[in-house]
Amino acid sequence: MKSRTRAVVIGGGIAGCSTLYHLTQEGWVDVVLVERNELTSGTTWHSAAQVTNFGMNQTMVGLKTHSINLYKELAEDSDYPINYHHGDGGIRLANTEAQMQGYRHFASMARGMDVHFEVIDAEECARRHPLISTDNLLGGLWDPLDGDIDPAQLCQALARRARKAGAEVYRNTSVVGLTQHKDDTWTVHTEHGDIDCDVVVNACGYRVNEVGAMMGVHHPVASMEHQYFLTEEIPAIKEAGHRMPLIRCAISDYYCRQEKNGLLVGFYEQNCKTWGMDGIDPNFVNALCPDDLERITDVLEGAFARMPALTEVGIHTVVNGPITYTIDGAPLVGPIPGKRNAYCIIGLRAGLGEGGGHGWLLAQQIVHGEACYDTWVLDPRRFAGHANVELTALKAIEDYQNEFRFHFPHEHRPAGRPAKTTPLTPALAAEGAEFTVVNGWERVDYIKPSPDFHPALSFDFDDAFDVVAAEVKNIQENVGLCEVNGFNRFEITGVDRHSFLDRMFCGHVTKREGRVGLGYLLNHHGMVKSEATIANLPASDRGPERVWYGSAAASEYHDMDWLTQHLRDGEDVQIRSMTNDQTILVLAGPMARRVLSACARGDWSREAFPWLSVRECFIGFAPATVMGVSFSGELAYEIHVPNASLYAAYLALREASEAHGLQLFGARAVESMRMEKGFLHWKADLTTEFDPFETGLGRFVRMEKGDFIGKAALERWMADGPRRKLVTLKVDCTHAPAHAGASLMQDGKVIGIVTSGEWGHRTGMNLAYAFVDLEHSAEGCTSKLDLCGDLIHATVIPFCPYDPDHTRIRS
C-alpha cells in the first residue's frame, strides 16, 4: 500500500468510484481509493439504479447529462461492457394543472442545457406505457433518455478505468483516523497503515458521519429505509416487443421500471422510517433492513390503481435498504466547511443516476478550484450550524414523503421550522407576517391581510400580488420597516486589513472612516465569487478601528472559508463572525430620515449623513450601527442592532414613525424593488460561470490597481471578449413572472437563460434578468421567453428602469 499520494478517496460506492475516475481524467493519476469492505457494499449494491436526465435546476441537469453520456460510453466499451438500458424513456405523472405547469417550466429550463423533455397528455402517457390507467391523470413529463444501469458493473468499470490511468484501489481497508497537519496536508490512518496525502475526500454513503467525526465535523445527512420489490413475469411485458418506460408517480408516491420481464416497483410511503440515527452496526455490509410491506400498504393501493397488472402478479423479491438524504434533499458535493483540502460527495439519494456527474464536478473543484458549472446548489457550505442531526432527520422525512413533488415558487415546507429566529419573530408573527426561510432563518415574506390568507401554489402570480404592491407603494410614498435577519457580517481588524481586502476585491475598496463601499471578489479563474459591502468604523467604546464585511445570508461559511484561506503568513488580520449576533432593520422610503431623526440623536441630514455613510448611534437606548445604503432604490438606512437590543430598537422605530405612515414590508417587496433598480442576487445573477464584465459589473473593476485574486485570468478573458451578457428584459405578460432557468428563444434556438424574474410594482413592468448571447444583448433586441410552455415576447431594456440616476437614494 502506498504511503504517499495526492488524494485519498474514502468509500467505494458510486460516489467514490466516480470521484477517483474523474480525478484521473482531470490529470491527477497518483490517487487512491480505500474501502472498508468490497466496492459497492454499502448503499450502491441495492440501488434501483435509475438514470434520468430530469433535474430541478440547470446544474443538476448538466451533471445528469454527463452521467448519461459517460454510462453510454462505458456500456459500449468492447473490452469491459456493462448493462445499461439507455433510452427506455420515462414519464413523470401529474393529476393537477399546477403540476403540469411545473413540468412545462422544467422543460423550458432543460432546453437551455440542450436537454429536450416533452409534456404529454394522459392518453399519450398510456400509449407509451400500456400498463397504466388514465384515471385521475392529466398527463406527464417525458424524458426520452431515461433508463437504468447495473450498479456493481458501473462501479467496477469506473474503478477499472481509474486503475488503468494509474490510480490504486485498496479494498477491505478500514479508515480508523484522520490527522491534518500544519501545512494542511492529511494523514489517513487505516488498519493496514498510514497514507499521507494532500487532499482527502469523504464518499462514505450512510457512514458519512463516522468519517466526519474523525475530522471533527458533522454533515447534515440522514438515512431513510426505502423499499422496493421485484415482481414475477408479467405477460404483457414479455409480449410487448420493447422495454417499458420508467414511471415516477407523484400522485401515488411510487416508481417502477422494467426488470427482466417483470417490474421493479419502489415506494415513498408517508409512514416512512429513518435508519441508523443511533449508530450503525460495523457488520452491516451488503445487508438489508427487515421487510416491512405493511408500511407501504397505502402507497401500494395507489400503485395498483394506476397499474392494474400489479394485482395479477406475484412478488419475487423484496428489498429494504438505507438511502441517504441531506437537509434539503440535494447532495453535498464540494469543500467541507471550515476545513482545508477536505471534500465530500455525500447525501446522494439518487446516487447511481447522477453519481457520474457528481464525481465529475467534484474532481474539477479539487484539481482546478472550480467546476465548469456554478455548484452552489450542491455546495456543503450552503448550510450553517443549525443543520444538526434532529433537524436533518425531520427534513429527510419530509423530502422522502415528497420525493416526486417539486417545490413550487414561494413554497416553504413546514418540517424543521422555525430553525432560527430573532427576538422580533413572535412580534412580527403577531403583526400577520408570512415567513419565508433564508439559511434556516425565519424572514418576513409579506404581511398577510388576514390570518386565513393562504395563496395557492402556482408558477403564476399568486394572491399575494396586490399585498406586495401595497407594501411597495407605501415604501415609495411614506416609509416601511423590514427585518433582514441572518445577513452575513464579519468584523475584520488588524493593521493589514485594508491591504488584505484590496487583494481580495477586484475594484476600489474604500479606506475612509465612516464610509461604505460595494465590491466583488473573483475566483482564480476571473469569475464572480462573492459580493460584499465594506464599512469602515472608527475606534470607539464598541471596538477598535475595524471593517465590517457584509454579504448574503447564505454565504456565511462560503465567504469565511474564502477569506481565511487567502490570509498570508505574518499578515496582521483577524476575522470574526458576527452573523448570529446582529440583525438588520431596514428603514426605507422618503420619510425614513424623519423617523430616524425622531429616535436617534445626531444630525441625520443629507449633508451630515450622505448616501454610503456609516455611523454608530443609539436607536432609543438600543446600540446600533446605521449605514446609508439601499437595496430598494428609495432613501433607506440599514440599522444593525445586537440581537439582545433588537426588540427595543424595533419599538423605538415604531413609536418614532407614528406620524409618518410606517408599515412593515417583506422579502417579496424587496425582490420587486431590487429588480427595478438593477441590483443583483448572489447565486441567482452572480455566479462563477461569468466574469464581472459579462455580469454588467465593469464599473466595479479596476484593472489598473495592483494584483488581486483573479486578475491574470480576467485579463485573458478580456482578450477573448465576452461570451454572454446579463441584460434586463421587459416581459409582455401580466399573469406570471419569468422563472430562473427559463429559456429565451429566437428562431427556434436558445439564445439566453433567465436568472431572476419579478413584477416591478413601481414601473408597472414584468421584469427579468437573463444572460443572453452577445448579438441579442443590445437594448431593443427581442426574443421569445418560454414561460411554462407559452412563448412570450420579451425586450431588452435599460438595466435600471426605476430612477436610473439614483436621485431618490441620494435624497
Side-chain angles (χ1 to χ4, degrees), residues 468-637:
V468 175
E471 291 180 3
V472 172
K473 187 174 189 294
N474 185 68
I475 296 165
Q476 185 182 25
E477 296 178 354
N478 300 304
V479 61
L481 183 65
C482 174
E483 180 193 51
V484 182
N485 49 19
F487 186 77
N488 187 44
R489 171 70 64 212
F490 299 149
E491 182 178 85
I492 304 177
T493 55
V495 297
D496 297 323
R497 63 190 183 281
H498 291 305
S499 59
F500 166 68
L501 291 170
D502 197 52
R503 191 172 72 248
M504 300 300 297
F505 284 78
C506 65
H508 172 70
V509 180
T510 182
K511 301 177 180 61
R512 289 173 53 195
E513 283 191 356
R515 297 297 291 168
V516 180
L518 177 67
Y520 294 86
L521 298 84
L522 310 183
N523 62 24
H524 294 283
H525 301 278
M527 303 295 155
V528 177
K529 185 74 173 177
S530 288
E531 174 191 66
T533 56
I534 295 297
N536 293 297
L537 297 172
S540 70
D541 57 358
R542 302 182 192 177
E545 291 182 345
R546 59 209 183 277
V547 169
W548 275 13
Y549 171 109
S551 56
S555 69
E556 179 183 357
Y557 284 3
H558 174 279
D559 282 15
M560 180 62 82
D561 279 356
W562 186 249
L563 293 174
T564 55
Q565 75 185 49
H566 288 96
L567 287 172
R568 293 174 177 170
D569 290 342
E571 202 164 27
D572 183 13
V573 176
Q574 299 81 44
I575 305 174
R576 179 175 71 93
S577 177
M578 304 169 61
T579 302
N580 297 309
D581 303 331
Q582 299 253 346
T583 294
I584 301 172
L585 297 174
V586 172
L587 191 66
M591 299 297 172
R593 180 177 288 112
R594 296 186 185 182
V595 174
L596 186 61
S597 298
C599 62
R601 288 184 292 111
D603 184 353
W604 296 99
S605 66
R606 176 179 176 179
E607 294 72 24
F609 194 76
W611 183 41
L612 298 180
S613 296
V614 58
R615 177 191 296 175
E616 291 178 335
C617 68
F618 291 89
I619 302 296
F621 58 79
T625 303
V626 178
M627 298 184 193
V629 296
S630 173
F631 204 50
S632 64
E634 306 294 341
L635 174 67
Y637 303 100

Side-chain angles (χ1 to χ4, degrees), residues 423-436:
L424 282 191
T425 305
L428 296 171
E431 295 272 7
E434 176 69 20
F435 291 95
T436 182

Side-chain angles (χ1 to χ4, degrees), residues 117-184:
F117 296 144
E118 185 181 355
V119 180
I120 57 179
D121 62 20
E123 287 70 26
E124 184 62 18
C125 290
R127 190 189 71 79
R128 298 187 188 191
H129 199 303
L131 296 184
I132 68 171
S133 163
T134 59
D135 291 346
N136 188 32
L137 181 66
L138 277 184
L141 182 70
W142 172 260
D143 175 2
L145 299 184
D146 218 333
D148 67 270
I149 198 165
D150 184 294
Q153 289 182 354
L154 171 59
C155 291
Q156 293 290 353
L158 291 169
R160 173 179 175 271
R161 287 197 172 190
R163 286 190 187 101
K164 287 183 67 176
E168 296 188 15
V169 176
Y170 305 138
R171 298 170 296 126
N172 299 304
T173 303
S174 292
V175 173
V176 296
L178 293 167
T179 300
Q180 188 163 32
H181 306 289
K182 290 183 178 180
D183 62 356
D184 296 325

